[in-house]
Amino acid sequence: MSVTPSSKQAANLGDIARALGVSVATVSNALSGKGRVSASLVPRIREMADAMGYVPSQAARALRTGKSGVLGLVLPDIASPLFPQIAQAIERAANTAGYGILIADSRGDVTLQTEAINRLIERGVDGLIIVPRRGTRIASVDIPFAVIDSPSTPGNTVSADHWQGGALVGAHLSALGHRKITLIGNNPASNVQNDRIGGIRSSLSGKAEVEVLWIERHEAEHGTGSLLGLAEKVKTGTTAFAAVSDVHALRAMTELHRTNIRVPEEATVIGFDDLFWGSVITPALTSVRMDMPRIADIAITSIAEKIDGKRDKPTDDNARVPMSLVIRQSCGPAPTTAF
Amino acid sequence: MSVTPSSKQAANLGDIARALGVSVATVSNALSGKGRVSASLVPRIREMADAMGYVPSQAARALRTGKSGVLGLVLPDIASPLFPQIAQAIERAANTAGYGILIADSRGDVTLQTEAINRLIERGVDGLIIVPRRGTRIASVDIPFAVIDSPSTPGNTVSADHWQGGALVGAHLSALGHRKITLIGNNPASNVQNDRIGGIRSSLSGKAEVEVLWIERHEAEHGTGSLLGLAEKVKTGTTAFAAVSDVHALRAMTELHRTNIRVPEEATVIGFDDLFWGSVITPALTSVRMDMPRIADIAITSIAEKIDGKRDKPTDDNARVPMSLVIRQSCGPAPTTAF
DNA sequence: CTGAAAGCGCTTACAG
DNA sequence: CTGAAAGCGCTTACAG
């Protein structure tokens, strides 16, 4: 029974069965631990499988069972911030649950999103995790899927509790004594951004003055990359800037610096999502972060349940996962200038 | 011959054949365009396939042909900058070539990298694209694979020409009149970083003074997140900071601002990789970018050739793709202070 | 406890 | 030009 490791050419169940003089059914059972196989046979089969470098054929298994063991992940733009974090967490959770992840980038386009979904389905995925492009409703997808967006999105499966995250910001700024605050958003059509802004507003002390600066709107009027006029805001009493994303917080911080306003001494800046460079800049950025591992876990669990048909245990629909505040140096007490 | 669209339950070749009274072989041939099928039959078969919502079974096809049509992408850390760009470009190129991309995150760990590779192989990928963790040599992988790292990495398949990219930086700084330059690196063990630094040095004007500041080393001595002492460098004559990554350039820029040194008036800052926020900050960051689409294309082509066994056309081994300079506001002429 | 057999859906020689 | 048949490697009832 000499095994030539050099001829490690794709041994299959049949080869193992032949080498051991048993049937493929028995080998299959022994390896999967399902059917009843005599205790003495199991280790022998296992060893032989190892020795022959057996790697089960996913294709055959998939064809037979009707399950590929692969999930599709549809992202609006893999390369833009936050989505990589999602991808990483999903990949991790999926692996733990025994699934592989096939990715598809919808490039921010609704048509491409539909195409991406179809491509994935044609590749035989068992289910889909979709982070929809803003304003998209997922049309009829006839395989199990989970949506990660915002609690305000119809059909959402799980997401961070953006409103609660906003409340964290509002409370933090209030506690620091800020009474005139400029919120920085990008696009008023975004559910996520509106939730965050709503949350901030909800927990700001009653006497606080709030104003929202929408970047896309500003740029439409003043040109792409134009200054946001933050120095003027400071001169008219704003002491804190709360952005709906660290990207905008970074923009705000560099603009303030550039216009000779010190952060946090003269103005506080706070962001969202805790992007990786937040701790690298000076001063480091205070931010609110999502619990990605937990969100990914819920999404994967939800899909796995749907795939396995466990409709008894109702899927956690529209689950809201709490966000947490990461305090760094970019926030300080409101300067008590006379106004 | 009424087709009930509601019973759109996974029609297969057999269903189509039965509905049309032909054989599955003919349907298969008509749909794939391979075998000779009478011209009149082809459109009828196509229509019926559409009407019945036929989606070919990847599993069956893979089992029969021995090819899954899926490639694995192994990344050291999906969530850290640059890798998402790579993932996006690879996904795109793969799609164009008819492949799906299964992702695996090696979490920066050599053991996990090996595990990730094996997991992917077990899932039946036809080939692998590997962005190795620093200092890793890919052991024996017995399916086709391509490595994206640096030209100095043994076994590299394709990468940006980091040295040439560095040369772009050196030439730019020289042209602006900078004569005392601090290079900012992270880890001297990185081939990519060393290539970039070598390139910068090679094209700096002869009389330039150069010094390298290694961040990991600095932090080991002074603590994580400690200031890099850039203001002192400026005081002793440094007029430009060239970082091997935009991340470090951002760190430098914010530290300079924070210590009241104006960029670019008093000090120039330049980075690498053109990360997305480079154009968002003030002043916008000059950087050197890789041609990801081209790199991805070469990697995918190389793998596809190996898979299809076209060893006649030799794969582009260790291909170097030129980088390009993206000029923004963070670089200015060297200030002519007296020294 | 073990084996023979069917069948998942496809592609590909091979006859006709 | 078209069809009958084999077979990819596995799992799963079903006999024994």
Side-chain angles (χ1 to χ4, degrees), chain B residues 6 11 15 76 132 155 171 192 199 201 238 263-264 304 333:
Chain B
S6 59
D15 296 334
V192 169
R201 287 198 131 108
T238 288
V263 176

Coordinates of all heavy atoms in Angstrom, one line a residue, chain B residues 6 11 15 76 132 155 171 192 199 201 238 263-264 304 333:
Chain B
S6 N -44.2 31.8 -13.2 CA -44.2 31.7 -11.8 C -43.4 30.4 -11.3 O -42.8 30.5 -10.3 CB -45.6 31.7 -11.3 OG -46.3 30.6 -11.8
A11 N -34.9 26.0 -14.2 CA -35.0 25.2 -15.4 C -33.6 24.8 -15.8 O -32.7 25.5 -15.6 CB -35.6 26.1 -16.5
D15 N -35.1 20.5 -19.2 CA -36.4 21.1 -19.3 C -36.6 21.8 -20.7 O -37.6 21.6 -21.3 CB -36.6 22.1 -18.2 CG -36.6 21.5 -16.9 OD1 -36.9 20.3 -16.8 OD2 -36.2 22.2 -15.9
P76 N -3.2 40.7 2.5 CA -2.8 40.7 3.9 C -3.7 41.4 4.9 O -3.8 41.0 6.0 CB -1.5 41.5 3.9 CG -1.1 41.7 2.4 CD -2.4 41.5 1.7
P132 N 1.4 39.1 -1.1 CA 2.0 38.5 0.1 C 2.2 39.4 1.3 O 2.5 40.6 1.1 CB 3.3 37.9 -0.4 CG 3.6 38.7 -1.6 CD 2.4 39.3 -2.1
G155 N 10.1 35.9 -7.2 CA 8.8 35.2 -7.5 C 7.7 36.2 -7.9 O 6.5 35.8 -8.1
A171 N 12.8 63.7 -8.7 CA 13.0 64.7 -9.8 C 12.1 65.9 -9.5 O 12.5 67.0 -9.7 CB 12.6 64.0 -11.1
V192 N 8.9 47.1 -1.0 CA 8.2 48.2 -1.7 C 8.8 49.5 -1.2 O 9.2 50.4 -2.0 CB 6.7 48.2 -1.4 CG1 6.0 49.4 -1.9 CG2 6.1 47.0 -2.1
G199 N 14.6 54.8 -5.3 CA 14.2 55.6 -6.5 C 14.3 57.1 -6.3 O 14.8 57.8 -7.1
R201 N 16.2 58.6 -4.0 CA 17.6 58.9 -3.9 C 18.3 59.0 -5.2 O 19.1 59.9 -5.5 CB 18.3 57.8 -3.1 CG 18.0 57.8 -1.6 CD 19.1 57.0 -0.9 NE 19.6 57.7 0.3 CZ 19.4 57.3 1.5 NH1 18.6 56.3 1.8 NH2 19.9 58.0 2.5
T238 N 15.6 71.1 6.7 CA 14.7 70.3 5.8 C 13.6 71.1 5.2 O 13.0 71.9 5.9 CB 14.1 69.1 6.6 OG1 15.1 68.2 6.9 CG2 13.0 68.4 5.8
V263 N 2.3 74.3 5.2 CA 2.5 73.5 4.0 C 1.7 74.1 2.8 O 0.5 74.3 3.0 CB 2.1 72.0 4.2 CG1 2.2 71.2 3.0 CG2 2.8 71.4 5.4
P264 N 2.3 74.4 1.7 CA 3.7 74.1 1.3 C 4.6 75.3 1.5 O 5.8 75.1 1.1 CB 3.5 73.8 -0.2 CG 2.4 74.8 -0.6 CD 1.5 74.9 0.6
A304 N -4.7 33.5 -16.2 CA -5.5 32.8 -17.2 C -4.7 32.0 -18.2 O -5.1 30.9 -18.6 CB -6.3 33.9 -18.0
P333 N 7.9 75.3 -4.1 CA 9.3 75.6 -4.2 C 10.0 75.6 -2.8 O 9.4 76.0 -1.8 CB 9.4 76.9 -4.9 CG 8.1 77.5 -4.8 CD 7.1 76.5 -4.6

